[in-house]
Amino acid sequence: MMDFSEYTLVSFGDSFTFGQDTVPMYDTSDYYPNTDKDVSPKQNQWKKDCNEKSYTQVLVDKMGFKDSLNFGVGGASNDRSMSLLESFLRSNPKKKVFVLFNFTSSSRFML
């Protein structure tokens, strides 16, 4: 079996990758629309909790990766994920990564 202890698992995909619905949505009544604070502390915590229960994190825990980055976003397209992947790899040429690319519906497209 491969030793992943020096690798970061980098995951790209849609809401399934993100971990949506793994925890209930928190009350976001303290959302700050149209200000420089786009995301409330509760929303940040919800995102963190979803990522911690995602299958990306399950793989990290089971396979012994050093770390993980979850680029999953609800409604994401394959084009968006591919663009993020390319940008990430160009920005981190020396980082030891294992890429998990989760394909979504081919009918989705990047706006």
Side-chain angles (χ1 to χ4, degrees):
M1 184 170 172
M2 186 172 170
D3 178 14
F4 295 105
S5 63
E6 294 182 17
Y7 289 82
T8 297
L9 177 63
V10 185
S11 188
F12 298 88
D14 59 11
S15 58
F16 293 110
T17 303
F18 170 76
Q20 188 159 343
D21 291 336
T22 57
V23 296
M25 182 67 140
Y26 301 157
D27 174 23
T28 57
S29 59
D30 60 348
Y31 178 66
Y32 308 112
N34 302 320
T35 68
D36 59 346
K37 291 182 172 185
D38 288 335
V39 180
S40 74
K42 285 182 183 177
Q43 286 174 309
N44 277 333
Q45 186 62 49
W46 176 76
K47 289 178 180 182
K48 181 180 177 209
D49 291 347
C50 286
N51 281 180
E52 287 177 355
K53 294 194 180 280
S54 69
Y55 69 85
T56 298
Q57 190 60 46
V58 170
L59 290 174
V60 169
D61 296 340
K62 297 277 185 197
M63 299 180 77
F65 285 95
K66 175 176 86 171
D67 197 9
S68 70
L69 296 170
N70 188 331
F71 288 101
V73 175
S77 67
N78 294 326
D79 290 338
R80 180 190 179 282
S81 294
M82 201 59 147
S83 178
L84 282 173
L85 170 61
E86 181 181 12
S87 178
F88 177 81
L89 293 175
R90 286 180 192 253
S91 300
N92 298 280
K94 296 185 185 215
K95 189 172 189 78
K96 286 186 173 186
V97 297
F98 188 97
V99 174
L100 178 61
F101 193 93
N102 306 286
F103 289 96
T104 187
S105 172
S106 60
S107 64
R108 291 181 181 171
F109 56 92
M110 192 165 53
L111 297 175

